[in-house]
């Protein structure tokens, strides 16, 4: 018996050949033209005359209907030498990320159990991860199964299976292959941050690079600091003038009260903005 432990076991009572799997060249990808639940039900109907070893749902469910020691009825003359995986969806669909992960699990498992090479197959004489249409008329003539969009995803699935076999995360490292300069450019040189509403060029340049935003902020802070410094000097001059007239003014105390008032307003503004 050969069962994938991570798959939900949904054994069917009909539509397969007991002990009929003579060898395993690889895994064949199909499209259901329906739902996982509907296919699960159909495979249990003797009129279907069809089955598959595995099936995936769009949200990541993985079923195993047929033990891989037995022959599923999925790709005619390719049944006895290839495992099969049906995928929820319609012709023209792409596989969801979750479905790609499920197929990668099946392929990685087939590699460990049957020594299936982690590569894309393009004909029945090859080995690896194949697709229904590659078998032509001998495999039932299903030339649109699973569709060109899914066939284009097969290399990504193989890459995920390779990472699983290597004990790595199934998801590709988004920083893989990037240099420090690449990362710097992605963070600081990407023109995607909304420009300040006060920008004079907002209509023609609505988005800025991060470095431009920081530069603008720095300029505004310097301008504000200069303004505050000038205002403080003016207030101190006025307070001193009042003191020179003989009015009972404590210049230092007045400056502290003004400074505390400014800081209080600043704190309230910060809280309100949050």
């Amino acid at each position: 018996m050969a069962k994938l432990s991570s798959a939900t076991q949904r054994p069917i009572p009909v539509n397969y050949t007991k002990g009929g799997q003579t060898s395993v060249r690889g895994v064949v990808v199909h499209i259901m033209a329906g739902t996982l639940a509907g296919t699960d039900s159909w495979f249990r109907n003797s009129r279907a005359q069809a089955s598959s070893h595995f099936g995936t749902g769009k949200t990541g469910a993985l079923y195993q209907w047929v033990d891989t020691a037995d022959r599923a009825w999925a790709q005619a003359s390719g049944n006895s030498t290839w495992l099969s995986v049906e995928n929820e969806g319609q012709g023209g669909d792409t596989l969801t990320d979750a479905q790609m992960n499920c197929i990668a699990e099946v392929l990685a498992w087939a590699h460990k159990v049957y020594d299936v090479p982690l590569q894309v197959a393009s004909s029945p004489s090859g080995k690896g991860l194949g697709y229904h249409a590659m078998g032509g008329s001998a495999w039932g003539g299903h030339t649109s199964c699973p569709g060109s969009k899914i066939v284009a995803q097969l290399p990504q699935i193989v890459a995920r299976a390779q990472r699983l076999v290597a004990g790595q995360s199934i998801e590709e490292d988004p920083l893989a292959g990037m240099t420090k300069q690449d990362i710097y450019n992605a963070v600081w040189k990407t023109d995607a941050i909304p420009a300040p509403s006060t920008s004079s060029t907002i209509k023609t340049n609505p988005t800025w690079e991060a470095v431009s935003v920081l530069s603008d902020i720095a300029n505004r802070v310097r301008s504000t600091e200069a303004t505050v410094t000038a205002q403080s000097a003016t207030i101190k001059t006025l307070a001193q003038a009042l003191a020179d007239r003989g009015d009972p003014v404590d210049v230092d105390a007045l400056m502290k009260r003004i400074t505390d008032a400014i800081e209080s307003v600043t704190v309230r503004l910060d809280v309100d903005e949050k």
Side-chain angles (χ1 to χ4, degrees):
M1 297 178 67
K3 295 180 178 179
L4 175 57
S5 61
S6 61
T8 299
Q9 298 301 313
R10 297 282 298 169
I12 54 177
V14 293
N15 300 322
Y16 71 95
T17 303
K18 184 71 174 177
Q21 198 69 32
T22 59
S23 64
V24 176
R25 300 186 67 84
V27 178
V28 177
V29 175
H30 297 253
I31 191 73
M32 291 178 185
T35 65
L36 182 62
T39 300
D40 181 71
S41 177
W42 180 236
F43 284 170
R44 298 173 192 284
N45 189 326
S46 60
R47 293 187 296 110
Q49 294 292 291
S51 63
S52 177
H53 289 102
F54 301 96
T56 75
K58 284 185 174 293
T59 59
L62 175 59
Y63 286 2
Q64 182 169 4
W65 288 297
V66 178
D67 191 301
T68 57
D70 302 328
R71 183 190 306 169
W73 299 349
Q75 57 265 339
S77 67
N79 287 334
S80 63
T81 54
W82 291 80
L83 303 182
S84 48
V85 54
E86 286 280 359
N87 298 280
E88 184 174 45
Q90 300 292 334
D93 284 356
T94 56
L95 296 170
T96 65
D97 194 64
Q99 286 177 304
M100 293 174 67
N101 286 345
C102 288
I103 300 171
E105 286 186 46
V106 173
L107 180 60
W109 177 81
H111 171 75
K112 294 176 181 178
V113 176
Y114 297 106
D115 200 26
V116 171
L118 300 178
Q119 62 188 25
V120 175
S122 57
S123 73
S125 62
K127 290 185 176 183
L129 183 65
Y131 55 98
H132 195 181
M134 76 180 188
S137 59
W139 282 18
H142 296 270
T143 57
S144 61
C145 181
S148 59
K149 293 180 180 179
I150 292 178
V151 172
Q153 292 178 297
L154 299 187
Q156 298 177 58
I157 297 171
V158 169
R160 296 185 186 198
Q162 290 171 338
R163 288 194 289 274
L164 282 177
V165 170
Q168 301 170 357
S169 170
I170 194 170
E171 299 293 345
E172 183 177 6
D173 182 356
L175 299 182
M178 295 183 70
T179 65
K180 290 182 178 180
Q181 187 62 48
D182 292 333
I183 296 172
Y184 173 85
N185 290 340
V187 173
W188 296 108
K189 305 297 286 185
T190 299
D191 191 350
I193 302 174
S197 58
T198 55
S199 171
S200 60
T201 61
I202 191 168
K203 290 185 178 180
T204 57
N205 186 28
T207 56
W208 285 11
E209 297 175 353
V211 66
S212 297
V213 173
L214 289 181
S215 177
D216 178 70
I217 292 173
N219 289 336
R220 290 169 183 263
V221 169
R222 283 193 291 268
S223 176
T224 300
E225 288 177 339
T227 299
V228 169
T229 299
Q231 289 176 341
S232 297
T234 300
I235 293 169
K236 189 169 185 178
T237 299
L238 290 174
Q240 187 63 55
L242 290 173
D244 291 344
R245 290 176 54 190
D247 295 333
V249 176
D250 186 330
V251 175
D252 291 334
L254 178 59
M255 287 298 298
K256 185 177 186 311
R257 289 180 61 185
I258 294 172
T259 300
D260 290 344
I262 292 174
E263 289 180 352
S264 175
V265 171
T266 302
V267 170
R268 288 203 302 273
L269 287 174
D270 288 342
V271 171
D272 290 343
E273 287 175 358
K274 292 178 182 178

